Amino acid sequence: MSSEALKQEIRDALDNTTLARTLGTFCKTYPARREKAYEGVDFEATRNKISEVKRYAADHIDEMIEEFTKNCEARGGHVIHARSKEEAMEKIRVLVKEKGVKTIVKSKSMASEELHFNTTLAEDGVLVQETDLGEFIIALEGNTPVHMVMPALHLNKEEVADLFTDYTKVKNEPIIAEEVKTARKVMREKFITADMAVSGANVAVAETGTVFTMSNEGNGRMVGTLPKIHLYIFGIEKFVKSISDARWIFKALPRNGTAQRIAAYVSMYTGACDVVTDKENDTKEKKEFYAVIIDDPGRRAILEEPEFRPLFECIRCGACLDVCPAFALVGGHVYGSKVYTGGVGVMLTHFLVNEGRASEIQNLCLQCGRCKEVCGGGLPISDMIMKIREKSVKENPNAIKKFALDAVSDRKLFHSMLRIASVAQAPFTKGQPMIRHLPMFLSGLTEGRSFPNIAQVPLRDVFPTIEQNVPDPKGKIALFAGCLLDFVYTDLARDVVMDLNSIGYLVEMPLGQACCGCPASTMGDVDNARKEAEINIEGMEAEKYDYVVSACPSCTHQLHQYQTFFEEGTEMHKRAVELGNKTFDFCKLFYDLGGCEESGDGKPVKVTYHDSCHLCRSLRVTQEQRELLKNTKGVEFVEMEDHDNCCGFGGTYSVLYPDIAAPILQQKIDNIQATGADVVAVDCPGCMMQIRGGLDARGIDNVKVKHTAEIIAEKRGLI
């Protein structure tokens, strides 16, 4: 279980109405604004180029450092190469002392937050003034960024006005334009009198010794031009080879970060220069330039681990936060560290800030995969979070979770337990199809939703009684039922069989199959996931069948992953590859085998559709199911808003984090109701359980939740 402290953080965030409103509004409107910003731009091609140029820099990192150093110093700059954060900060302290610096203005440097720059220099009697508006605001609040790009996103204009009033001792009205004027008035004096300026880099170009900063505020350029000493602080992950390489980052960063086509300011600095300090007498002085390159063990560890090496391709756009369902509810103060927030911030926190904190917050990831779709560098963010989870589970095993997953991976034991539960559930079902309340540690199952009954007779016992009339079969398909079809939705399994029979295929259910292993995988238990892979590879005997069908995208995805558990060239790996290649989700297989012919009873029914995360993002199936529904006579298909947003199920997530899962489910239900549909179609039994349970718990009985296979079987008169 997660720590009680983290759970309290979650509750506090969910109780914060301002946070809910500001984050909710931004995250809801972001996807459409981002899409508009990318009009006329090939996003896939752009991020492929970003990945290419950043990967090249990572592969030649020592060359990048050497080349940048040579070119920067050739232009009068000074490069400080620090092998640790402590060394970086100590060298900065020495420099500040040598130059007699008493005041510093700073703009946009997350790397400096890793060094505890502000507080460390404050101890030396040096005043560090944040000049980025958002950073200035949270500094007054005494807080840390809620978002990597928009640090004060959690505050409204009224709260900012109060902070400014306290700071200036003059009443500030909650009018954004006036608040900007206040900040400008405060900052102007700081810029003019500061002894040193500090900036962070979006990009560092090796072949010219140039550093870039993108900003939507003039403060960044004021910092870079007015003080006589300019200090850049950045990590080795910011390098690219050439300015031509950098252009790809500038093409994506503003579009991904703030849904703009271009940032207001793109500033570039190359070494030292002469500046006019007295225009009356045309007096010029040398403006000193320093670059501190952080080359610490954490960054080197990223490079040494192949699974995390893509982190060097991150452009720090924050898009992974903007589409994250958990972040939209709790923000970066909960889903983050004191430096990096949510999404990619989990890995950055792990390697660069605090492994313990990363181990906690990685649990907040739903594994919905939306972050991967928008990532400017094409990083497999959710996959990397899973690797952090696996590492955390291995190093800090939880006895209760381990016991539960051990039981699930023991096929005979698990099936016996489910059979017992089908009898023991009687006091809670009260003769109804759904359980609305469960006691004690099981209460999370019915938090904001009802829970389906376990079938009295499992599918494996029922399957031999299903009559299949296929006189001249085209082929033979193995059904991988998964836990929910085998022990809960047995009628759905029958519908899958009838649908496939109708297009000429016989279906068999190999009885040696067990849980697919998805629960173990998503909870980071690699050992049990591998054990279940072995059981199912043996049990499914894929070589006997033309295809393997699953009516659960999570199961389909998991079966595709089996080959990653075994060494290439081994017999088990070969069999895993064959099983994966033959396994399809129901709607995809039914469509491909010719099931899309127009048919149906013609009785009118309005249907909307919810995309499960695994089906649309992992398996990339989005159109086949819609075509099947639209070609079913009588179906009036209507698309719901945010149809591909997570429903909040996430396997065990909805049990472990019901406080987060519940509002995600509520939004899904609101979107379903807004369509006026009679039926919401799904292709995932987990989503079906979540949405059906949510509707039942709310007493909404005019909307039915049905699997696509059910709708086809019913409308075509197959059952």
Side-chain angles (χ1 to χ4, degrees):
M1 299 291 285
S2 62
S3 71
E4 284 304 316
L6 180 60
K7 286 186 174 183
Q8 187 58 53
E9 288 182 50
I10 291 170
R11 286 191 287 267
D12 290 344
L14 292 172
D15 288 341
N16 186 330
T17 55
T18 300
L19 180 71
R21 184 168 58 253
T22 55
L23 279 180
T25 300
F26 174 80
C27 292
K28 185 175 179 60
T29 60
Y30 170 80
R33 291 187 293 108
R34 176 183 175 277
E35 185 176 356
K36 184 172 180 59
Y38 270 105
E39 287 179 356
V41 175
D42 187 333
F43 172 61
E44 287 298 329
T46 300
R47 72 171 175 180
N48 286 342
K49 288 298 296 184
I50 290 171
S51 179
E52 178 185 322
V53 301
K54 295 281 281 179
R55 192 183 312 118
Y56 177 87
D59 291 343
H60 300 82
I61 193 63
D62 292 313
E63 295 172 28
M64 296 292 112
I65 295 169
E66 183 180 352
E67 189 174 5
F68 177 90
T69 301
K70 180 185 71 175
N71 290 318
C72 180
E73 291 181 344
R75 292 166 174 79
H78 304 276
V79 177
I80 299 171
H81 188 210
R83 291 288 185 180
S84 70
K85 296 184 182 71
E86 293 75 18
E87 181 185 352
M89 196 61 233
E90 186 54 37
K91 288 183 175 180
I92 291 170
R93 292 177 77 179
V94 170
L95 175 65
V96 167
K97 187 174 182 179
E98 284 180 354
K99 299 296 180 180
V101 172
K102 295 299 180 184
T103 58
I104 295 174
V105 284
K106 182 157 76 78
S107 170
K108 290 191 175 295
S109 174
M110 296 188 73
S112 72
E113 299 301 322
E114 295 179 42
L115 310 183
H116 307 292
F117 183 93
N118 295 18
T119 54
T120 301
L121 288 182
E123 293 171 2
D124 294 344
V126 179
L127 174 64
V128 181
Q129 177 68 56
E130 295 287 355
T131 66
D132 176 82
L133 181 57
E135 294 284 357
F136 173 50
I137 291 168
I138 62 171
L140 296 181
E141 187 193 13
N143 213 334
T144 56
V146 75
H147 189 286
M148 285 197 289
V149 177
M150 293 156 284
L153 186 60
H154 61 295
L155 298 172
N156 59 29
K157 62 183 185 294
E158 287 76 19
E159 291 169 322
V160 173
D162 290 341
L163 290 170
F164 280 6
T165 296
D166 291 342
Y167 181 72
T168 62
K169 308 305 178 186
V170 176
K171 176 67 175 175
N172 275 253
E173 297 299 328
I175 302 169
I176 293 175
E178 295 302 315
E179 291 170 344
V180 171
K181 288 180 182 178
T182 295
R184 185 178 292 123
K185 183 178 180 181
V186 169
M187 291 302 167
R188 194 54 54 94
E189 179 68 20
K190 306 288 186 183
F191 290 131
I192 294 171
T193 59
D195 301 314
M196 176 183 278
V198 173
S199 301
N202 292 112
V203 180
V205 178
E207 72 174 15
T208 58
T210 302
V211 280
F212 282 85
T213 298
M214 299 183 74
S215 175
N216 284 317
E217 302 170 29
N219 67 299
R221 194 161 288 178
M222 296 281 276
V223 163
T225 54
L226 288 179
K228 295 180 180 179
I229 305 171
H230 192 188
L231 172 67
Y232 254 88
I233 304 172
F234 57 92
I236 58 175
E237 71 278 8
K238 295 301 179 74
F239 282 114
V240 296
K241 173 68 175 173
S242 66
I243 287 180
S244 179
D245 287 347
R247 66 194 165 106
W248 299 106
I249 296 172
F250 301 142
K251 197 170 186 177
L253 186 52
R255 289 178 167 89
N256 256 23
T258 51
Q260 297 170 269
R261 292 182 181 274
I262 191 170
Y265 297 89
V266 179
S267 303
M268 55 198 316
Y269 303 92
T270 307
C273 60
D274 291 330
V275 293
V276 175
T277 54
D278 181 353
K279 65 179 181 180
E280 298 287 336
N281 299 302
D282 195 27
T283 302
K284 296 181 180 179
E285 293 183 37
K286 182 69 71 176
K287 181 180 175 67
E288 297 182 61
F289 183 86
Y290 295 84
V292 176
I293 302 174
I294 304 175
D295 185 5
D296 61 308
R299 286 173 167 82
R300 288 289 171 169
I302 292 171
L303 288 175
E304 290 167 6
E305 298 195 32
E307 291 164 329
F308 295 104
R309 196 178 176 90
L311 284 172
F312 266 57
E313 296 160 36
C314 172
I315 61 173
R316 302 291 199 275
C317 63
C320 54
L321 316 181
D322 303 337
V323 298
C324 174
F327 179 85
L329 290 170
V330 302
H333 293 143
V334 177
Y335 194 13
S337 58
K338 300 296 184 184
V339 182
Y340 299 108
T341 52
V344 75
V346 172
M347 281 71 70
L348 297 176
T349 295
H350 175 82
F351 284 101
L352 307 180
V353 183
N354 186 311
E355 284 190 21
R357 181 63 178 178
S359 180
E360 282 193 321
I361 63 175
Q362 57 81 18
N363 286 299
L364 299 185
C365 173
L366 271 154
Q367 287 292 301
C368 70
R370 293 191 77 197
C371 50
K372 291 193 287 187
E373 290 187 323
V374 300
C375 176
L379 280 69
I381 295 173
S382 55
D383 297 341
M384 288 193 285
I385 291 176
M386 275 306 311
K387 295 301 178 184
I388 297 290
R389 185 170 301 174
E390 290 168 8
K391 185 174 182 179
S392 175
V393 167
K394 186 174 182 179
E395 294 175 355
N396 303 286
N398 180 293
I400 296 174
K401 288 182 182 178
K402 183 64 176 172
F403 173 79
L405 292 171
D406 284 347
V408 172
S409 67
D410 186 325
R411 182 172 64 86
K412 291 182 179 179
L413 174 61
F414 182 50
H415 291 174
S416 296
M417 290 170 63
L418 288 172
R419 289 176 187 272
I420 293 169
S422 69
V423 177
Q425 68 185 349
F428 308 107
T429 64
K430 299 178 181 178
Q432 300 299 313
M434 303 288 281
I435 301 171
R436 294 185 173 176
H437 300 287
L438 284 169
M440 297 182 294
F441 65 91
L442 295 174
S443 61
L445 293 170
T446 52
E447 185 82 25
R449 66 176 183 194
S450 301
F451 193 70
N453 296 346
I454 296 171
Q456 292 297 313
V457 182
L459 176 64
R460 58 186 54 243
D461 292 352
V462 172
F463 196 87
T465 68
I466 299 175
E467 294 185 15
Q468 301 189 54
N469 184 19
V470 187
D472 187 17
K474 299 175 183 177
K476 190 164 56 174
I477 298 173
L479 171 65
F480 184 84
C483 303
L484 287 176
L485 264 68
D486 200 352
F487 290 91
V488 179
Y489 300 123
T490 56
D491 286 347
L492 169 56
R494 176 208 57 191
D495 296 340
V496 169
V497 173
M498 294 296 100
D499 290 341
L500 292 170
N501 286 171
S502 74
I503 56 173
Y505 287 86
L506 280 171
V507 182
E508 293 183 3
M509 180 182 176
L511 297 180
Q513 62 182 273
C515 172
C516 68
C518 188
S521 282
T522 55
M523 294 176 74
D525 188 342
V526 177
D527 292 338
N528 272 315
R530 183 182 295 108
K531 181 178 178 181
E532 287 163 323
E534 291 172 348
I535 292 171
N536 286 316
I537 291 169
E538 294 285 355
M540 290 303 294
E541 299 182 288
E543 60 275 5
K544 294 183 179 180
Y545 300 97
D546 298 293
Y547 306 100
V548 176
V549 68
S550 167
C552 174
S554 297
C555 291
T556 307
H557 167 78
Q558 188 71 11
L559 267 61
H560 287 178
Q561 297 300 304
Y562 282 177
Q563 59 184 284
T564 65
F565 293 130
F566 307 103
E567 186 179 346
E568 286 190 38
T570 63
E571 184 62 26
M572 193 60 77
H573 181 267
K574 292 176 184 176
R575 296 186 69 187
V577 170
E578 181 169 14
L579 175 59
N581 289 342
K582 286 185 175 180
T583 300
F584 295 85
D585 205 70
F586 166 78
C587 61
K588 173 66 174 173
L589 184 61
F590 189 69
Y591 180 91
D592 287 350
L593 294 181
C596 202
E597 291 183 10
E598 191 172 5
S599 179
D601 59 15
K603 295 178 181 178
V605 59
K606 183 183 270 190
V607 178
T608 190
Y609 186 81
H610 160 71
D611 292 89
S612 84
C613 299
H614 272 129
L615 189 60
C616 71
R617 298 197 175 89
S618 297
L619 303 177
R620 313 302 296 175
V621 178
T622 58
Q623 295 306 313
E624 289 86 343
Q625 61 272 50
R626 287 172 167 79
E627 290 300 313
L628 289 170
L629 291 168
K630 291 175 182 177
N631 281 0
T632 300
K633 293 180 180 179
V635 169
E636 177 192 349
F637 185 82
V638 56
E639 202 76 81
M640 79 169 83
E641 184 178 2
D642 297 331
H643 52 82
D644 61 345
N645 279 9
C646 184
C647 65
F649 177 61
T652 55
Y653 191 96
S654 56
V655 179
L656 298 174
Y657 294 99
D659 290 343
I660 297 177
I664 295 174
L665 172 59
Q666 183 61 59
Q667 185 59 60
K668 179 61 64 176
I669 289 173
D670 291 344
N671 290 340
I672 291 168
Q673 288 190 289
T675 67
D678 306 302
V679 176
V680 53
V682 299
D683 274 289
C684 174
C687 296
M688 185 159 66
M689 182 171 74
Q690 176 80 341
I691 298 171
R692 186 180 286 177
L695 291 169
D696 182 77
R698 291 159 178 77
I700 302 171
D701 56 10
N702 63 328
V703 181
K704 305 302 178 186
V705 185
K706 296 182 180 181
H707 195 283
T708 301
E710 290 183 274
I711 297 172
I712 291 170
E714 290 173 2
K715 298 293 283 180
R716 295 189 181 185
L718 303 177
I719 55 173

